[in-house]
């Protein structure tokens, strides 16, 4: 079988030989109608009949894996795609390091592995649910198309995890696959599993921040799972990472374009003080301090997704060879970590201090540290746009202890610089750090749809280049066909 080519003949495009795997094919075909019902109920609201210029994976060859065409979203070909198998691959870390990678689920780790797959799977439909109302207020057809691209690919990532569940986890896997369609983001009775995926994505600035910060957690977690000794999971995540890159591009360039428009409008109006918020807002753009507050919110919510700083779950998953570190294959150590230590930021006697912890227990912390480094790269690019336009302002990531709900700092109040606050101080200053109701109302007031090709809402600059090199007036979504 040529793994790079995708079989498009059946209901479910795939490069895993589904045609010859009758049991799994039937199971997935049975799951399919429930998925389509979920997509129609919980996927993008409206626009389901519109023609959207989407990319679809047609190969897993990194040099040319996607084709672009107009598609109605419910007819998108969601498929099961794994990156090519590496002959002779060995388990790269943990107590089984050096043994042949598993092609079947190792019995002793079945429950742990299933939990990792289910948590990963749960985030994918959750994000689609969070973003389902945004189409109506898209600032351009270009942005609307990017939203829908992200949505259909998150849907595909759900398929990726459901394939693993159906193929490798028998009856339990089938039940988990059903449950993935039953939980709902933000539902008080059946919420999604992780906190940040139950928050609202109420406006487009939130969407860009989410795809910048939260999809980047996706990248880190997928990188860690791509190292897995369970080879089908590794191969699945490797291909998902190819798609994930575009999601973070949408986030990074989205925020860049918002910042650029604000700074350009300020310059044009002769406003030099970025804190002259009322005047800036009158220009129909989002002031930089409010953009900073949104970054504070989404960064801190996303840090919670790394779990507790000290985690036995993380230690067990590494020891077992199931979940590695960020780019484990590029690290130079024994890949077993039985004796090393890692500095963990903790709350000790009312102060935030580093304390060495066993490296195995500190793996969530370490992944989070790698994440913060990765986040800062794009923030640097945002600041360059601001500096180039001559505005005295810098976006800064808040301290990692700020506004936390999981882990070491969840029971204390900390400001963006890492100073501990009393509950009263926190209540008083909260809206200096996080969007207030009036900030939210202002942003909402700007969320007016702009559905004419080549036009953009007042608060966002056009992109530098089109998707698939299309010209500026390209009709990325044909709404009229709805
Ligand atoms: N919310 O030992 P701990 C993405 C629970 S994003 C609620 O520290 P662990 C995407 C935890 O479950 C990437 N509960 O946990 C992005 C545990 O409960 P149990 C998604 C939480 O396992 C954008 C208990 O607290 N993928 O792909 O070390 C759009 C003890 O915690 C939370 C993954 O996350 C929370 N935030 O770390 C679309 C990878 N945090 O079991 C998609 C798979 C912790 O004791 N998941 N808890 O009842 C994992 O690797 C880990 O499970 C976690 C948590 C990193 C999530």
């Amino acid at each position: 079988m040529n793994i790079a080519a995708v079989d498009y003949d059946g209901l479910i495009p795939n490069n895993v030989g589904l045609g010859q795997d009758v049991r799994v094919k039937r199971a997935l075909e049975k799951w399919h109608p429930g998925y389509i019902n979920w997509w129609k109920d919980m996927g993008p609201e409206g626009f389901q009949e519109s023609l959207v210029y989407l990319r679809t994976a047609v190969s897993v060859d990194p040099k040319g894996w996607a084709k672009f065409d107009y598609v109605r979203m419910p007819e998108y070909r969601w498929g099961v795609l794994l990156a090519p198998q590496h002959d002779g691959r060995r388990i790269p870390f943990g107590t089984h390091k050096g043994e042949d990678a598993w092609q079947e689920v190792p019995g002793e780790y079945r429950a742990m592995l299933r939990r990792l797959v289910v948590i990963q799977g749960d985030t994918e439909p959750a994000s689609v649910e969070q973003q389902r109302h945004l189409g109506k207020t898209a600032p351009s057809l270009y942005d609307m198309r990017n939203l829908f691209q992200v949505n259909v690919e998150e849907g595909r990532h759900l398929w990726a995890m459901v394939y693993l569940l159906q193929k490798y986890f028998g009856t339990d896997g089938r039940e988990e696959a059903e449950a993935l369609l039953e939980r709902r983001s933000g539902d008080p009775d059946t919420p999604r599993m992780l906190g940040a995926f139950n928050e609202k994505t109420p406006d487009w600035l939130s969407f860009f921040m989410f795809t910048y910060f939260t999809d980047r957690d996706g990248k880190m977690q997928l990188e860690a799972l791509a190292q897995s000794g369970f080879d089908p999971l590794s191969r699945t995540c490797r291909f998902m990472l190819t798609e994930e890159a575009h999601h973070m591009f949408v986030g990074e360039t989205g925020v860049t374009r918002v910042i650029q428009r604000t700074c350009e409008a300020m310059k044009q109006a002769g406003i030099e003080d970025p804190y002259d918020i009322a005047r800036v807002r009158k220009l129909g753009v989002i002031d930089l301090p409010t953009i900073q507050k949104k970054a504070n919110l989404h960064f801190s919510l996303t840090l919670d997704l790394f779990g507790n700083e000290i985690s036995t779950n993380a230690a067990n998953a590494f020891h077992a060879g199931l979940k590695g570190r960020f780019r484990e294959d590029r690290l130079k150590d024994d890949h077993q970590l039985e004796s090393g230590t890692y500095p963990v930021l903790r709350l000790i006697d009312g102060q935030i201090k580093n304390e060495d912890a066993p490296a195995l227990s500190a793996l969530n912390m370490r992944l989070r540290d790698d994440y913060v480094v990765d986040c800062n790269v794009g923030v640097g690019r945002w600041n360059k746009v601001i500096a180039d336009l001559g505005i005295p302002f810098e976006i800064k990531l808040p301290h990692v202890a700020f506004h936390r709900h999981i882990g070491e700092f969840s029971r204390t109040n900390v400001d963006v610089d890492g100073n501990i606050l009393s509950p009263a101080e926190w209540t008083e200053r909260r809206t200096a750090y996080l969007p207030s109701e009036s900030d939210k109302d202002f942003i909402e007031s700007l969320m007016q749809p702009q559905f004419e090709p080549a036009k953009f809402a007042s608060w966002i600059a056009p992109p530098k280049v089109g998707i698939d090199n299309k010209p500026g007036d390209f009709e990325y979504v044909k709404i009229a066909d709805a």
Side-chain angles (χ1 to χ4, degrees), residues 24-40:
V24 178
K25 184 166 174 270
R26 284 218 187 106
L28 289 174
E29 284 175 354
K30 221 170 139 201
W31 187 79
H32 184 267
Y35 172 81
I36 295 292
N37 285 343
W38 166 81
W39 177 270
K40 288 185 176 163

Side-chain angles (χ1 to χ4, degrees), residues 145-159:
R145 177 259 166 224
N146 285 349
L147 166 72
F148 295 158
Q149 182 72 60
V150 168
N151 291 161
V152 292
E153 285 175 352
E154 299 302 4
R156 205 202 68 70
H157 291 179
L158 171 60
W159 272 91

Side-chain angles (χ1 to χ4, degrees), residues 45-317:
E45 198 188 7
F47 311 101
Q48 294 277 355
E49 294 305 313
S50 302
L51 287 169
V52 187
Y53 192 70
L54 293 175
R55 75 175 180 186
T56 306
V58 288
S59 155
V60 289
D61 180 347
K63 286 190 215 84
W65 59 275
K67 88 171 170 34
F68 288 83
D69 208 346
Y70 282 109
V71 182
R72 288 188 176 84
M73 284 185 281
E75 290 159 19
Y76 188 78
R77 302 295 308 276
W78 283 285
V80 177
L81 305 165
L82 270 61
Q85 188 166 350
H86 292 162
D87 285 340
R89 179 168 181 263
R90 310 266 168 172
I91 299 168
F93 58 89
T95 191
H96 301 283
K97 179 176 165 254
E99 296 173 21
D100 285 345
W102 295 296
Q103 299 305 327
E104 294 295 330
V105 174
E108 61 196 302
Y109 303 135
R110 190 187 163 85
M112 209 191 310
L113 194 50
R114 193 185 67 202
R115 178 178 172 275
L116 288 173
V117 172
V118 168
I119 295 183
Q120 179 62 49
D122 193 67
T123 62
E124 315 290 0
S127 67
V128 176
E129 292 164 3
Q130 288 171 294
Q131 296 162 13
R132 70 182 299 256
H133 302 297
L134 292 174
K136 297 191 294 246
T137 54
S140 71
L141 292 180
Y142 166 90
D143 291 290
M144 184 193 272
R145 177 259 166 224
N146 285 349
L147 166 72
F148 295 158
Q149 182 72 60
V150 168
N151 291 161
V152 292
E153 285 175 352
E154 299 302 4
R156 205 202 68 70
H157 291 179
L158 171 60
W159 272 91
M161 292 300 128
V162 164
Y163 168 71
L164 294 177
L165 290 169
Q166 303 271 22
K167 165 103 183 153
Y168 296 100
F169 293 91
T171 312
D172 314 354
R174 267 199 302 285
E175 283 167 11
E176 295 285 12
E178 289 305 323
L180 284 166
L181 295 177
E182 282 157 16
R183 287 186 287 273
R184 293 283 180 269
S185 174
D187 189 298
D189 302 321
T190 54
R192 291 294 175 184
M193 298 172 88
L194 301 178
F197 291 91
N198 288 304
E199 297 285 329
K200 286 202 163 65
T201 309
D203 58 68
W204 276 78
L205 183 54
S206 273
F207 170 66
F208 293 136
M209 292 291 180
F210 184 97
T211 40
Y212 185 76
F213 288 113
T214 310
D215 279 75
R216 192 171 306 275
D217 168 51
K219 167 184 160 180
M220 304 307 287
Q221 302 289 352
L222 290 173
E223 288 274 8
L225 294 173
Q227 304 290 335
S228 183
F230 179 52
D231 208 39
L233 176 61
S234 163
R235 291 170 54 205
T236 299
C237 293
R238 270 163 47 212
F239 187 65
M240 287 162 76
L241 281 162
T242 318
E243 294 163 309
E244 201 67 32
H246 175 67
H247 306 186
M248 286 176 292
F249 161 88
V250 168
E252 184 181 330
T253 55
V255 176
T256 304
R257 289 161 54 217
V258 178
I259 289 174
Q260 183 191 333
R261 181 72 199 104
T262 300
C263 295
E264 282 170 356
M266 285 172 68
K267 272 201 98 169
Q268 228 168 13
I271 303 173
E272 280 170 12
D273 178 5
Y275 294 94
D276 197 348
I277 291 173
R279 273 180 76 209
V280 174
R281 287 186 176 183
K282 278 206 185 103
L283 305 173
V285 296
I286 307 174
D287 52 286
L288 297 174
T290 299
I291 296 174
Q292 172 72 65
K293 287 188 199 177
K294 281 273 196 188
N296 293 346
L297 176 66
H298 287 271
F299 179 68
S300 58
L301 287 173
T302 306
L303 290 182
D304 285 339
L305 294 174
F306 290 84
N308 289 284
E309 287 81 350
I310 302 288
S311 164
T312 316
N313 285 340
N316 290 342

